[in-house]
Structure formats: C-alpha cells, structure tokens
Amino acid sequence: MIAPQTERPPVRSVSDLTEVRARTPQAVALAAAARSRRPLLGEDGRLLIVAADHPARGALGVRDRAHAMASRTELLERLCTALERPGVDGVLGTPDILEDLLLLGRLDGRVVIGSMNRGGLQGASFELDDRFTAYDARAIAAMGFEGGKMLTRVDLDDPGSVATLEHSGRAVSELAGLGLVAMVEPFLSRRVDGRVLNYLSPEGVIKSVHIAQALGTTSAYTWMKLPVVDGMDRVMDATTLPTLLLGGDPSGHPDDTYAAWGRALTLPSVRGLVVGRALLYPRDGDVAGAVDVAARLVHGAAS
C-alpha cells in the first residue's frame, strides 16, 4: 500500500503545475493547510485586492483585445508580478486560479477571496442567471480563505433575478455564519439589443446598494464591491458597509482612471480597491508600474 503524501511537492514555476496536479492532486489541500495567514486589515484599515475571476465567465477581453486573458500561463505570470509588489494585500479568484497560486506559494500572507457565482457567462442567453458554480461558503472556510464574493445582477424585467437575490442572500448568511467576509457586487442590469448592460448612473448604483446590503440574515460580515461612477459621494452615502471599488474594463486613459479612483478613495466608507484587468493588462504592459500606482492610491506613501 502506498502511503499518502504529507509533504508538498516543489512547484518552482508555472511549467511545474500540470505535473504536480496530475501526480499529486492532494498538494492543493496541503498547500492550503500550510499557507501563512494575516489579519484581514492592516494598520491603515485599507485593502488592495487583485481580481482574476473574469475568465470563468468567458470574459477574456481587455479593451479591444477580445482574447487578452486567453493564456493561463501569461495570466499567472502577471498575477505573480502583481502579488510581489508592496501594498498588494491579496487576490480574488476562482478555484482553478487560486489553487495554481497556492501551489506556486504566492498566497502566503495574503487576503484570499473566493469567487462564488460564475454561471452567468458573458454573451449567453442565460447571462443574468448568476448561478453559484464555483466556491461555496464551506469550501472557502475549508481552504482557510478570508471570504467569498458574489456577483448580484438584478434585471427588473427578468423574473429570474429573484433567484439570484435568494441565492446571494443565502451565501451572505452562510459566510457570516462561518465568520467570513461576504463581498457583494451588485448591479441593476438590463438587456439592450441582446447585450447585458449595467445601470451606472448614481441612481442606479444607489438602488443596487440598498438591495444588496439587505441580503442575508445579518450584514455583520458584508462588504460592498461597487463601480466608480459620477456622484460617488451620493453613492457612498447610501451605505455604512465597508466598500471596495472595482476597476472594470479599462477603456479610458489610465490617468483619468487613477484620478477617479483617488477621488473616490477619500470617501469615508471606501476601504480600497478590487482591480483586475486595469492592473494586470495595462496599456503600456507594465504590470508592476500599474500596481504601484494603485498601491499608492490605497495605502499612500506606506506602500
């Protein structure tokens, strides 16, 4: 009888991942158990989280590059670069990506948020059916991660949105019951010529905030993940919950994006950023440079 392996096999580079996954799948659990953890918040009470859960919804595009995120090895290399930069607190991702980063040893001392519902595939007829197809609360707790994130899109003309609300509310309750962060990313959405678009007016975001912050049996562990829109002072006046700002698809000039983030970060309820494509795929290709700018915005000179 072969004894079970109790030590993690070495994973020195991305090229080692497939071999380790094929021969020792238990290495993922071993890496999770061995991961060093940190408090959710540091001394300044702010967070910079790098997001990498877009591919699971088939959303691979960045600006005019429809398949910018198609290469997993390139994405992992960009994530590793980002996670090495001072001022980066953690990462948000689906199991496949977070497990690769675990095996690479890149999640030690980081805040890790598991992405939970990726079923609303971009461009699908069922895109607004944001089903929970990735992490659940129990799995997040078992991995020793700090919380879970759920996309919660509501189309007032789509009766199916009530199921999204129900399932998101249940996830909030389950995460809170385990003492884990429940990060809710709400949008009021609609279909226009077959495409799902989000209402990004201040009124639309405010309404989505009021819907989302009431989900679950308690809001004690709930955080908001909100877009940066005009009138952010009004938006943030709609909630007392700690909020992280999302980056979105970086279509504008980086300087304009950074300025908008900087203004919103001065608002009392805003505690940081959750940004993916704008940092991982910047226009000039300098991932480290883009991450450093975001870290200075979130943490100031201390980063």
Side-chain angles (χ1 to χ4, degrees):
M1 180 177 178
I2 300 175
Q5 184 164 342
T6 58
E7 295 184 1
R8 294 168 55 188
V11 181
R12 299 181 179 87
S13 68
V14 172
S15 61
D16 295 330
L17 287 169
T18 302
E19 179 71 7
V20 171
R21 283 180 171 277
R23 292 187 179 276
T24 53
Q26 66 271 25
V28 169
L30 293 171
R35 182 178 75 94
S36 62
R37 299 182 63 180
R38 53 159 274 178
L40 177 68
L41 298 176
E43 289 186 6
D44 67 357
R46 295 164 79 84
L47 289 171
L48 173 57
I49 304 292
V50 179
D53 61 344
H54 313 84
R57 286 205 314 112
L60 303 178
V62 181
R63 291 180 293 275
D64 58 351
R65 296 175 57 201
H67 299 284
M69 303 183 77
S71 170
R72 178 52 52 90
T73 54
E74 180 185 351
L75 174 58
L76 288 171
E77 288 165 359
R78 290 172 180 267
L79 280 166
C80 288
T81 297
L83 289 167
E84 289 170 354
R85 304 308 298 170
V88 174
D89 295 285
V91 64
L92 159 68
T94 45
D96 52 329
I97 289 176
L98 294 184
E99 289 168 2
D100 279 345
L101 293 172
L102 265 175
L103 293 171
L104 289 164
R106 300 308 176 102
L107 298 186
D108 287 334
R110 302 296 186 185
V111 172
V112 184
I113 304 295
S115 187
M116 303 178 76
N117 60 334
R118 300 281 82 189
L121 303 185
Q122 187 180 65
S125 61
F126 52 86
E127 180 172 352
L128 284 168
D129 190 354
D130 289 316
R131 297 202 187 191
F132 284 68
T133 56
Y135 283 113
D136 59 23
R138 185 178 300 179
I140 290 168
M143 293 295 283
F145 295 160
E146 282 65 44
K149 183 220 101 173
M150 64 216 72
L151 176 63
T152 305
R153 294 181 291 183
V154 176
D155 182 346
L156 298 179
D157 293 323
D158 182 354
S161 289
V162 69
T164 298
L165 292 171
E166 179 185 12
H167 297 150
S168 290
R170 184 179 302 126
V172 168
S173 300
E174 291 173 352
L175 287 164
L178 294 166
L180 300 173
V181 169
M183 188 179 295
V184 185
E185 180 181 7
F187 290 101
L188 283 185
S189 305
R190 68 197 187 281
R191 285 192 179 274
V192 177
D193 297 328
R195 294 182 59 207
V196 173
L197 300 177
N198 299 321
Y199 286 101
L200 296 179
S201 66
E203 293 76 15
V205 178
I206 288 168
K207 190 168 186 174
S208 75
V209 168
H210 282 289
I211 293 168
Q213 65 189 350
L215 294 172
T217 56
T218 177
S219 63
Y221 292 87
T222 303
W223 286 55
M224 293 282 104
K225 179 173 182 273
L226 299 178
V228 177
V229 299
D230 293 336
M232 282 303 292
D233 54 338
R234 292 173 54 206
V235 171
M236 296 314 305
D237 191 43
T239 186
T240 60
L241 299 182
T243 298
L244 299 179
L245 306 174
L246 64 92
D249 189 359
S251 56
H253 192 280
D255 290 345
D256 295 334
T257 300
Y258 299 146
W261 292 350
R263 289 190 297 270
L265 283 164
T266 66
L267 298 169
S269 295
V270 176
R271 287 305 185 103
L273 298 172
V274 181
V275 184
R277 292 166 290 184
L279 301 185
L280 296 173
Y281 296 86
R283 285 185 184 276
D284 62 4
D286 183 3
V287 175
V291 171
D292 289 348
V293 171
R296 286 194 295 272
L297 288 171
V298 173
H299 294 295
S303 65

